[in-house]
Amino acid sequence: MTTKNKFITLLILSAGAASAIAAINKVIKVTAVSKNLLSNSESLCYKWRFGNIHYTKSGNGKPLLLIHDLSSVSSGAEWNHMTARLQKDYTVYTIDLLGCGRSEKPCMTYTNYLFVQLISDFIKTVIGHRTNVIATGEAASIPVMACANNPDLFDQIMLVSPLSLLEYSQLPGKTAKLYKILLDTPLVGTLLYNIATSKKSIREKSRSIYFANPYSVKENYIDICHEAANLGSSQKSIYSSVISNYTKCNITNALKKIDNSLFLVGGECTENIDKILEEYKGYNPAIETALIPDAKKLPQLETPDALYELIRTFFG
């Protein structure tokens, strides 16, 4: 076979592989969103300058904003078990962060400061009052930084399963930057993203990391997460930003600065959670903490009644 023929054969094989990957990616996306589990007739839209933001509003009373974990598989649906309880006492807002769930997913690098701007603008424009806020996991850094910059927008803040302060301080390294470039490629990057956010991967992480009782992980929850990960035009952008540490931020100075009431909650079954919560109190002794039995990182899904009682006690 001549060099020319070898080259032509290689091109044909490469084109075939690319077509196969593209077809696989398309099938995954179409299948993931086919059940339409995240549709909501009561859905509202906040037209923010970087993209439309999906949110819901229900109940009466003092405003309470619920922020889901900062993850490509997360959305405001994380709070579904809590909303029915909380709306008896509060005007409850659930938000899908930019790049997540039902909100717009522009192709961009997402940062902590971007989400700080979003939450601050949302409270000013949509809620219009000082607001109690509850945030989960990596997203817990968002209201902390936002409150440090604009304390008048916030009343009391609860952080559910916050990361350790060391984890929040991680910065993008060379390897992370290269991985983000790879993830952002149309074919291979999308395939890697689909593997990372497959139902199997979501199920395994939920059972080993997020839930204390693996049998409490419902298949409907897996389907909702999988759908959230595949909605939108650039669904992998938030994933590549999070995994490459672009969304992280050192919050120690903000913790020292905040004079608002802070309450930290962790699932008792989470590894080193007691040490993590004590670490926060080292920077702000006024912080209150509590552990929830039989839960890990998502007590709002695993033990909603216990979390509800803590919310009522803290916020009053």
Side-chain angles (χ1 to χ4, degrees):
M1 184 181 289
T2 65
T3 301
K4 181 178 179 181
N5 287 338
K6 288 180 180 179
F7 182 68
I8 292 173
T9 301
L10 180 61
L11 285 177
I12 293 172
L13 290 173
S14 298
S19 298
I21 292 173
I24 291 170
N25 290 337
K26 185 174 182 180
V27 169
I28 291 172
K29 182 177 177 67
V30 171
T31 304
V33 302
S34 61
K35 293 182 180 179
N36 206 23
L37 297 172
L38 288 172
S39 63
N40 189 332
S41 59
E42 298 177 359
S43 173
L44 300 170
C45 178
Y46 167 46
K47 297 191 175 186
W48 195 45
R49 59 185 179 276
F50 290 110
N52 293 337
I53 303 300
H54 167 95
Y55 73 97
T56 63
K57 177 183 177 182
S58 59
N60 293 288
K62 190 169 184 178
L64 173 60
L65 174 60
L66 305 177
I67 304 174
H68 60 79
D69 194 6
L70 191 52
S71 163
S72 59
V73 304
S74 297
S75 68
E78 177 185 299
W79 294 102
N80 282 353
H81 292 334
M82 298 297 302
T83 304
R85 294 169 172 83
L86 292 169
Q87 66 185 7
K88 301 172 186 175
D89 309 297
Y90 310 96
T91 300
V92 181
Y93 296 83
T94 65
I95 187 173
D96 285 9
L97 296 171
L98 188 74
C100 300
R102 295 149 286 194
S103 289
E104 201 164 338
K105 300 180 178 181
C107 182
M108 61 189 295
T109 298
Y110 295 79
T111 64
N112 179 271
Y113 183 65
L114 176 76
F115 293 114
V116 167
Q117 288 180 293
L118 168 59
I119 294 305
S120 299
D121 290 344
F122 185 84
I123 293 174
K124 289 177 188 175
T125 307
V126 178
I127 300 178
H129 300 279
R130 289 188 64 168
T131 303
N132 288 335
V133 178
I134 307 176
T136 308
E138 184 169 336
S141 65
I142 299 170
V144 171
M145 295 300 293
C147 183
N149 292 333
N150 294 288
D152 292 341
L153 295 177
F154 298 85
D155 194 354
Q156 298 166 299
I157 298 172
M158 176 182 284
L159 309 181
V160 177
S161 303
L163 305 184
S164 71
L165 294 176
L166 180 61
E167 286 181 276
Y168 281 127
S169 301
Q170 292 177 358
L171 298 173
K174 290 183 179 179
T175 303
K177 291 177 180 178
L178 289 173
Y179 187 49
K180 185 178 186 304
I181 291 171
L182 177 61
L183 282 169
D184 289 340
T185 58
L187 293 178
V188 176
T190 302
L191 182 62
L192 290 173
Y193 172 76
N194 285 333
I195 294 171
T197 59
S198 66
K199 284 188 180 183
K200 180 181 179 182
S201 177
I202 295 169
R203 190 179 296 110
E204 289 176 352
K205 287 180 180 178
S206 297
R207 290 175 175 175
S208 61
I209 298 173
Y210 292 99
F211 288 74
N213 180 3
Y215 297 104
S216 65
V217 181
K218 306 301 182 185
E219 202 60 30
N220 184 62
Y221 167 73
I222 303 300
D223 289 339
I224 287 173
C225 290
H226 195 225
E227 181 175 313
N230 285 277
L231 290 172
S233 58
S234 184
Q235 65 272 29
K236 63 182 178 176
S237 292
I238 185 67
Y239 175 80
S240 65
S241 296
V242 170
I243 201 168
S244 302
N245 295 326
Y246 284 93
T247 54
K248 291 187 170 66
C249 176
N250 189 324
I251 64 173
T252 54
N253 288 331
L255 285 174
K256 295 176 186 177
K257 183 179 178 182
I258 288 177
D259 195 35
N260 301 62
S261 295
L262 274 172
F263 192 67
L264 274 59
V265 177
E268 197 172 49
C269 300
T270 303
E271 187 177 0
N272 295 323
I273 188 61
D274 52 343
K275 294 180 181 179
I276 291 173
L277 300 187
E278 284 300 315
E279 184 183 23
Y280 281 75
K281 294 177 73 172
Y283 288 92
N284 188 333
I287 290 175
E288 299 178 70
T289 63
L291 295 177
I292 297 179
D294 304 318
K296 274 192 175 180
K297 295 194 173 184
L298 292 173
Q300 58 267 52
L301 288 169
E302 191 165 21
T303 54
D305 289 333
L307 180 58
Y308 172 64
E309 290 305 318
L310 283 178
I311 292 170
R312 289 193 65 189
T313 301
F314 179 60
F315 290 141

